[in-house]
Amino acid sequence: MRTVIFRSIAPYLTSLMVLFSVFVLLRGHNEPGGGFIGGLIAASALAIYGIACGVAPVRRAIYFHPMAIAAFGLFMAAMAGVLSVFAGVPYMSGLWIYPQIFGAEVALSSVLVFDVGVYLVVVGAISSIALALEERDRD
Amino acid sequence: MSAAAPGATFIVLMLPFLAAVVAPWLTRRLGHNAAWLLALAPLAIFIHFLGFAAEVADGGIVTGGFQWVPSYNVSFSWLIDGLSLTFAILISGIGTLIILYSGGYLKGHAQLGRFFSFMLLFMGAMLGVVISDSFLMLFVYWELTSITSFLLIGFDHTREASRRAAVQALVVTGGGGLALLAGLLVIWNITGVTQLSLLLNYGDELRASPFYLLALFLVLGGAFSKSAQFPLHFWLPNAMEAPTPVSAYLHSATMVKAGVYLLMRLNPVLGETVWWETILPVFGGATLIVGTLLAIRQTDLKLMLAYTTVSSLGLLVMLTGFGSEHAVAAAVLYLVAHSLFKGGLFMVAGLIDHEAGTRDVTRLGGLRKAMPVTFFAAIAAAISMAGLPPFFGFLAKEEIYYALWATDIWSLAFVAVAVIGNGLMFVIGFAVAIKPFLGPAVKTPKAAHEGPVLLWLGPLTLSLAALAAALVSPLTHRFISSPMASAVAGAPEEVTISLIPHMGPALILSIVTVIFGIIAYRMLDRLRAGMASLLAAIGWGPDRGFDQFVSGLVRLSVSLTRILQPGRLDIYMTVTFLMIAAALIGPMAWYGEWPAVPVWPDDVQFHELVVIAIGVIGLLAVLYARDRLIAIVSLGVQGFAVALIFMLFGAPDLSFTQFMVETLAVVILALVMTRLKLHASDHRPTLQKLFDMSVSLACGIGFTLYLIAVTQQPFNTALSEFFAAYSKVVAHGTNVVNVILVDFRGTDTLGEIAVVMVAGLAILALIRIRTPRARVADNDPDGIAVADQTAEAR
Amino acid sequence: MEPIFAILVGAFFTVAIYLFLSKHIIRVLMGAAILGNAVNLLIFTAGRVTREVPPIIGGDSDALSDFAANPLPQALVLTAIVISFSFFAFLLVLGYRAFQELHTDNSDEMRVAEPMAEPSPPTGY
């Protein structure tokens, strides 16, 4: 599978897919998409990169261990729920703020933080599985 | 001393447990002399309970305690009347002596502190049994005595005989305890009370209940097992594996009497029925005879005493259930006398063992010069046991004969049983107390001399107590015998017997007993040989039966496990799915609630059918795939078909997710499958295939029917409408599915991503962790490991 | 539309269970993958099937239109898809490692935990 063409386009393909996955993640609250789908897209992007160029470059590219990313995501998701404590509402209640950034109104919310957490867990766990299996394939 | 303060009684009940906690520490500091300090605990209890004597003698009943679980009417409460007071005084009084005795007996033993601790724990439990007023408390303490007895019998746990005896005692008495619990629950159910003191008012109700027999049998199961009644007697002689202080305390003076205590306690409410007055005397009498006969054949001092304990317990049960006017008084007197002389004799046996190095009666003789104090204590106890004046045992025996004597056949039979039993006990008593001391000196393993004060203090005190109790019998009766007899009979009763005997049949029976005893004593060796050959001829006993029972239980569970867990995945699977099919189809068939025949929807569009057909083709291709590439691809086909279905029916989120998942699944399958080989066929014989097919078809049809039935019901839209109405207004999101996931049901999703994370970790662990070769070799020395090596060699 | 879906779900279950009853863990694995789809379709169908209109609230309105698909089963199934995938991956690796260690993919020959001739436990004390 490691043809020249595949190896050449894989990094670009992966970057595009990861970018797309972030887009899918962010629009998820109002259009089809969300953390799960975004995470899966990013994970398959990394898997493709791994198949094309080997696992080591992927690990270098994402810098952190995939399970560490997943763990951080889980922590983030849990903390998104804890945020509501400061507002004096029950655990996991959604909180919204609308700050003006460069003149545009941006909707930020604890729900978004939570969705990003989901995204990171899915990316981390699934890419960890895929990468581990790809490594096994070579020894 | 006014002991009415409930706080004091509670502290006293807890005192042994506290002492048990500090005992190991004290023993580490003081060695065996810690006994002097630890004995203060039972002494304090003894004095505390003596303080109740006057009040109880005047017919008072002291109760106290506090609520425990008020909603179930369970309390921590105690009841002090004549019966429990006598027991408490015996337990604490003999307990004081036993603690001292243990200090001397196990002097220098590495685990002495532990031993003290167990002894004191037992004391606390036993005290709790006799003092408890509430059923639950009685049961808890009852089982606690079984457990502490287990610990004490198995004290010398390096010997197998010890372990076996401990397990045996625990199984028999603990099992009896469960029967007791059931019995108490039945009684609770019938009467609605949970306290012994209140139960007294419900005797008639209980006896009239249709469940009377059930309650009776269950309670008797508890009492008979604890008090070693035939045929459950076998655990008691085996329990002699315990150190002698344990035998003296638990297995003669106190614990084994818990069963008798229970019978005496319930006599007013369960007694006075035909069943009670038949079962108890018959079992008691049988136990009396069997116990003495078996005692005859023993040569070990402790075993001789143990079997006479069995027979004494039989005598007590017999008297408790006999129902005649004086039988209760006789039982009470004999119980007190027995605790005094048997405890003493056991301690003497231990003393001889300790000083001479053996307790085999045939290897002992002429110790009287070396051990004069012991000899005196032994003789005194034996006279009491034989029922001769001027000791308390004499009073008891006179009362027994007086109570039993009547001219009908039933009574005469029991008189005969009592005479034979007493005569043989006379023999054993003197065999233990005279044989080792008189006659020519025999060379013993250790040069015998008088033991230390810690050792002879106990037996001497008990013998003197038996003498004193008989000499001042009016006082004894006023404070001990009469209140206790009243409590057992459930009505005021006066015990009057003194050292001046009843003239009449009772005295004649006594004389007959003595003559019979003397004759038997002279023929002891011949009797012993005769019994030994008789028992050898029978060959089987409940003791061996217990072993057969235990190993049978193990074999049964092994074969049951083999049936239930044959270790074959396909069988587990078949059973599971058969059950699922039955659960799906069974209720529909049973209640005749088949779903209505569905009408073919008229708006089915062609492309939808095509997608569904693609899915089905994918499924079939998976089944018939002959190599792994086809299998992977067809697995992907059915997955993508599902994704298309989601897409067509308004679920774009699901569709995308399914697409991504199927892609990834195909990728990792391809990665793994290159290392695995897929057999072209699945090696199932045709018959097996047909069977598996019908099982899976049954499940599939079951699910189809179930789903048709579900969708024919009106749909409850409450939840969906809630989400539809509020997801934009409250949660500021227009993609309702995503809003449900991350907002409304956020905590659920948190749990689910945690599962994903754990799955990732588990997979990582599976891939990273290599089983060490040696481990595999351990499990299967010549199978897999060899295959492994050959694989490596290649 | 539901009856057709019910039959399709039945077919998924039948195939999955038939594969489960095999002795070869590879087939059991494929059965597990199909079983996940079967259950997802079951939940999806039980929430009633609607054509084409996704549960997304349109531009101006505040509530979901009456013709949109039921969002609740979709939310349930969405997480179920991801979890069943993780589970499938776990099973796959488990089977793979078992094959590596035991050199067989026949469940009858995997007898490390439950050996054929296990000695009886001791009956002594």
Side-chain angles (χ1 to χ4, degrees):
Chain A
M1 278 194 271
R2 303 176 74 179
T3 59
V4 178
I5 298 176
F6 190 32
R7 256 183 300 164
S8 312
I9 64 161
Y12 304 102
L13 187 62
T14 305
S15 326
L16 271 177
M17 282 177 78
V18 172
L19 208 61
F20 180 64
S21 77
V22 174
F23 166 69
V24 167
L25 160 70
L26 291 179
R27 76 169 203 158
H29 216 56
N30 294 319
E31 298 292 326
F36 280 104
I37 306 170
L40 285 168
I41 294 172
S44 23
L46 294 174
I48 289 170
Y49 191 24
I51 291 172
C53 307
V55 174
V58 183
R59 292 206 189 273
R60 240 177 295 131
I62 58 175
Y63 188 75
F64 297 105
H65 190 283
M67 282 321 285
I69 295 176
F72 180 72
L74 191 59
F75 177 73
M76 206 168 146
M79 284 303 117
V82 174
L83 277 182
S84 57
V85 169
F86 299 109
V89 288
Y91 185 68
M92 279 291 177
S93 302
L95 300 172
W96 291 80
I97 49 170
Y98 299 94
Q100 297 283 331
I101 299 175
F102 303 123
E105 194 188 66
V106 180
L108 292 180
S109 64
S110 66
V111 173
L112 185 65
V113 177
F114 183 82
D115 217 6
V116 173
V118 172
Y119 171 86
L120 290 178
V121 171
V122 175
V123 175
I126 307 263
S127 61
S128 160
I129 296 166
L131 292 180
L133 287 171
E134 285 169 15
E135 265 172 340
R136 283 241 62 74
D137 199 38
R138 298 197 200 301
D139 65 20
Chain B
M1 166 180 166
S2 167
T9 303
F10 181 71
I11 291 170
V12 155
L13 281 177
M14 291 300 127
L15 199 57
F17 296 107
L18 293 177
V21 172
V22 299
W25 179 78
L26 266 183
T27 312
R28 215 174 303 139
R29 284 289 164 92
L30 302 173
H32 73 281
N33 284 320
W36 293 105
L37 271 181
L38 290 173
L40 291 178
L43 189 66
I45 300 166
F46 182 66
I47 292 168
H48 177 79
F49 280 114
L50 277 187
F52 288 104
E55 192 180 344
V56 170
D58 293 334
I61 292 177
V62 184
T63 56
F66 48 85
Q67 288 291 312
W68 192 357
V69 190
S71 46
Y72 286 102
N73 202 10
V74 171
S75 56
F76 187 96
S77 55
W78 51 83
L79 160 70
I80 302 170
D81 62 355
L83 179 58
S84 47
L85 184 64
T86 305
F87 265 97
I89 288 173
L90 284 174
I91 291 163
S92 53
I94 299 179
T96 311
L97 300 171
I98 287 285
I99 292 291
L100 294 175
Y101 183 80
S102 311
Y105 190 81
L106 287 173
K107 179 179 170 185
H109 193 288
Q111 306 292 354
L112 180 58
R114 182 191 291 176
F115 185 78
F116 278 138
S117 210
F118 289 167
M119 276 304 234
L120 289 161
L121 279 181
F122 166 76
M123 192 183 297
M126 189 64 210
L127 210 55
V129 167
V130 297
I131 290 296
S132 294
D133 191 16
S134 95
F135 288 176
L136 182 69
M137 195 172 143
L138 172 69
F139 169 74
V140 169
Y141 277 123
W142 181 281
E143 291 293 51
L144 205 53
T145 61
S146 296
I147 292 166
T148 44
S149 155
F150 167 79
L151 292 172
L152 283 165
I153 298 170
F155 181 68
D156 190 5
H157 55 83
T158 49
R159 287 187 305 117
E160 189 188 335
S162 223
R163 294 198 297 271
R164 172 172 184 264
V167 170
Q168 199 176 47
L170 185 66
V171 169
V172 175
T173 61
L178 293 181
L180 170 66
L181 175 65
L184 290 175
L185 290 178
V186 171
I187 292 178
W188 179 22
N189 225 318
I190 296 172
T191 63
V193 297
T194 58
Q195 276 165 324
L196 292 168
S197 51
L198 299 177
L199 191 61
L200 285 180
N201 309 324
Y202 290 87
D204 293 328
E205 201 171 313
L206 206 54
R207 281 183 286 259
S209 160
F211 297 107
Y212 166 76
L213 271 187
L214 181 65
L216 178 68
F217 287 147
L218 288 170
V219 166
L220 288 186
F224 281 8
S225 61
K226 198 77 163 181
S227 279
Q229 295 300 296
F230 180 81
L232 295 174
H233 65 280
F234 55 90
W235 70 267
L236 182 54
N238 288 337
M240 295 302 128
E241 294 295 338
T244 305
V246 178
S247 313
Y249 191 43
L250 273 70
H251 304 126
S252 73
T254 55
M255 187 185 89
V256 289
K257 294 217 175 72
V260 177
Y261 164 79
L262 186 70
L263 295 178
M264 288 180 160
R265 175 58 80 200
L266 295 177
N267 182 42
V269 286
L270 287 178
E272 289 166 33
T273 62
V274 180
W275 288 95
W276 181 268
E277 290 179 359
T278 311
I279 298 175
L280 261 61
V282 166
F283 274 89
T287 309
L288 172 60
I289 294 296
V290 169
T292 46
L293 289 179
L294 290 173
I296 291 289
R297 72 148 296 201
Q298 302 298 331
T299 58
D300 182 322
L301 290 177
K302 269 178 80 177
L303 282 179
M304 292 161 75
L305 291 173
Y307 279 107
T308 57
T309 305
V310 170
S311 47
S312 297
L313 293 168
L315 182 56
L316 284 170
V317 169
M318 178 176 126
L319 290 170
T320 307
F322 198 71
S324 97
E325 203 176 325
H326 282 266
V328 165
V332 165
L333 290 172
Y334 189 73
L335 187 136
V336 174
H338 178 259
S339 291
L340 297 177
F341 69 70
K342 193 55 70 66
L345 278 178
F346 262 113
M347 287 197 253
V348 166
L351 190 46
I352 294 172
D353 187 19
H354 196 259
E355 296 306 322
T358 178
R359 2 176 252 256
D360 188 334
V361 75
T362 55
R363 294 168 63 196
L364 288 164
L367 290 174
R368 72 183 179 286
K369 287 222 182 65
M371 307 171 75
V373 185
T374 315
F375 180 47
F376 174 74
I379 285 292
I383 292 174
S384 188
M385 180 168 169
L388 298 177
F391 286 87
F392 203 61
F394 173 69
L395 272 61
K397 200 183 59 182
E398 286 302 300
E399 190 74 15
I400 291 170
Y401 288 141
Y402 188 72
L404 292 181
W405 178 257
T407 45
D408 58 304
I409 286 285
W410 175 256
S411 302
L412 281 178
F414 282 103
V415 166
V417 165
V419 167
I420 295 172
N422 272 324
L424 292 176
M425 277 203 263
F426 176 102
V427 175
I428 304 292
F430 281 109
V432 171
I434 291 183
K435 268 273 170 68
F437 293 100
L438 297 185
V442 175
K443 178 136 177 49
T444 52
K446 274 157 82 176
H449 52 77
E450 193 55 77
V453 60
L454 277 174
L455 284 181
W456 54 253
L457 185 66
L460 190 65
T461 311
L462 289 182
S463 299
L464 292 178
L467 180 63
L471 290 179
V472 292
S473 57
L475 219 56
T476 318
H477 294 330
R478 173 162 153 64
F479 287 110
I480 300 284
S481 321
S482 298
M484 183 167 165
S486 308
V488 176
E493 197 158 315
E494 192 85 10
V495 182
T496 53
I497 193 156
S498 70
L499 282 174
I500 299 122
H502 299 281
M503 290 300 158
L507 192 61
I508 298 168
L509 287 172
S510 277
I511 294 167
V512 170
T513 309
V514 171
I515 294 169
F516 171 67
I518 290 171
I519 296 170
Y521 184 77
R522 300 193 73 90
M523 296 165 50
L524 184 56
D525 289 334
R526 246 179 296 166
L527 278 177
R528 182 179 293 148
M531 269 315 290
S533 51
L534 177 67
L535 287 177
I538 295 174
W540 187 90
D543 189 30
R544 193 178 299 172
F546 176 81
D547 279 349
Q548 287 161 349
F549 169 71
V550 168
S551 63
L553 212 58
V554 172
R555 274 201 299 274
L556 178 73
S557 60
V558 167
S559 48
L560 205 63
T561 309
R562 293 232 167 103
I563 292 172
L564 291 177
Q565 298 185 5
R568 290 184 53 189
L569 186 68
D570 47 327
I571 290 180
Y572 299 159
M573 286 292 167
T574 308
V575 172
T576 307
F577 287 117
L578 273 176
M579 285 310 295
I580 289 176
L584 284 170
I585 299 178
M588 284 191 221
W590 183 262
Y591 295 107
E593 290 180 350
W594 302 104
V597 178
V599 279
W600 184 260
D602 47 7
D603 58 345
V604 186
Q605 290 170 18
F606 180 67
H607 64 277
E608 292 166 357
L609 280 183
V610 169
V611 169
I612 289 173
I614 291 174
V616 174
I617 290 167
L619 287 176
L620 293 177
V622 172
L623 279 184
Y624 289 101
R626 294 201 163 260
D627 68 51
R628 54 180 175 239
L629 198 61
I630 294 177
I632 294 171
V633 169
S634 36
L635 209 56
V637 167
Q638 58 86 26
F640 288 122
V642 172
L644 279 176
I645 289 173
F646 286 145
M647 178 66 95
L648 288 176
F649 291 92
D653 280 317
L654 295 192
S655 180
F656 293 157
T657 313
Q658 179 79 18
F659 270 123
M660 296 317 301
V661 159
E662 285 306 327
T663 314
L664 279 166
V666 167
V667 168
I668 66 166
L669 255 176
L671 289 173
V672 171
M673 284 270 228
T674 49
R675 287 303 187 89
L676 291 173
K677 60 171 186 288
L678 179 69
H679 294 283
S681 74
D682 60 0
H683 293 303
R684 281 186 252 194
T686 315
L687 207 62
Q688 179 76 35
K689 265 185 192 163
L690 279 176
F691 178 72
D692 289 353
M693 235 175 253
S694 23
V695 172
S696 43
L697 256 179
C699 280
I701 290 171
F703 276 109
T704 300
L705 290 175
Y706 166 77
L707 197 49
I708 290 174
V710 165
T711 48
Q712 279 172 355
Q713 301 296 317
F715 185 54
N716 182 347
T717 53
L719 268 179
S720 308
E721 275 168 8
F722 169 85
F723 292 126
Y726 290 105
S727 74
K728 185 162 184 189
V729 182
V730 177
H732 310 284
T734 52
N735 180 356
V736 183
V737 175
N738 188 264
V739 170
I740 293 175
L741 279 178
V742 297
D743 201 331
F744 287 124
R745 315 268 326 142
T747 316
D748 260 9
T749 309
L750 183 66
E752 279 151 3
I753 56 176
V755 172
V756 172
M757 164 113 192
V758 169
L761 279 176
I763 290 169
L764 213 55
L766 265 179
I767 290 179
R768 289 284 158 82
I769 297 168
R770 288 260 155 197
T771 322
R773 283 279 142 76
R775 181 74 191 291
V776 179
D778 262 356
N779 286 339
D780 185 4
D782 40 30
I784 297 153
V786 171
D788 232 15
Q789 280 156 9
T790 47
E792 268 169 6
R794 252 185 271 134
Chain C
M1 205 60 208
E2 280 89 358
I4 300 176
F5 270 64
I7 294 165
L8 182 68
V9 167
F12 267 85
F13 271 108
T14 307
V15 172
I17 290 166
Y18 182 73
L19 289 169
F20 256 95
L21 292 173
S22 162
K23 283 179 184 156
H24 295 277
I25 48 173
I26 275 286
R27 283 175 198 278
V28 176
L29 278 174
M30 297 194 293
I34 293 173
L35 195 64
N37 284 336
V39 173
N40 289 341
L41 275 180
L42 177 81
I43 298 173
F44 187 69
T45 313
R48 304 301 188 272
V49 183
T50 319
R51 278 206 182 78
E52 280 154 19
V53 185
I56 291 171
I57 298 170
D60 304 329
S61 69
D62 277 346
L64 201 56
S65 92
D66 288 341
F67 305 104
N70 185 358
L72 186 60
Q74 294 194 23
L76 297 178
V77 171
L78 184 70
T79 47
I81 293 174
V82 178
I83 288 183
S84 65
F85 170 69
S86 331
F87 178 62
F88 170 68
F90 174 75
L91 283 185
L92 191 65
V93 174
L94 189 66
Y96 170 53
R97 293 285 293 129
F99 180 76
Q100 269 192 333
E101 294 290 329
L102 305 172
H103 302 282
T104 177
D105 76 331
N106 187 336
S107 62
D108 259 4
E109 290 162 20
M110 295 181 172
R111 287 203 162 262
V112 177
E114 289 167 310
M116 269 304 214
E118 202 169 15
S120 292
T123 49
Y125 296 92

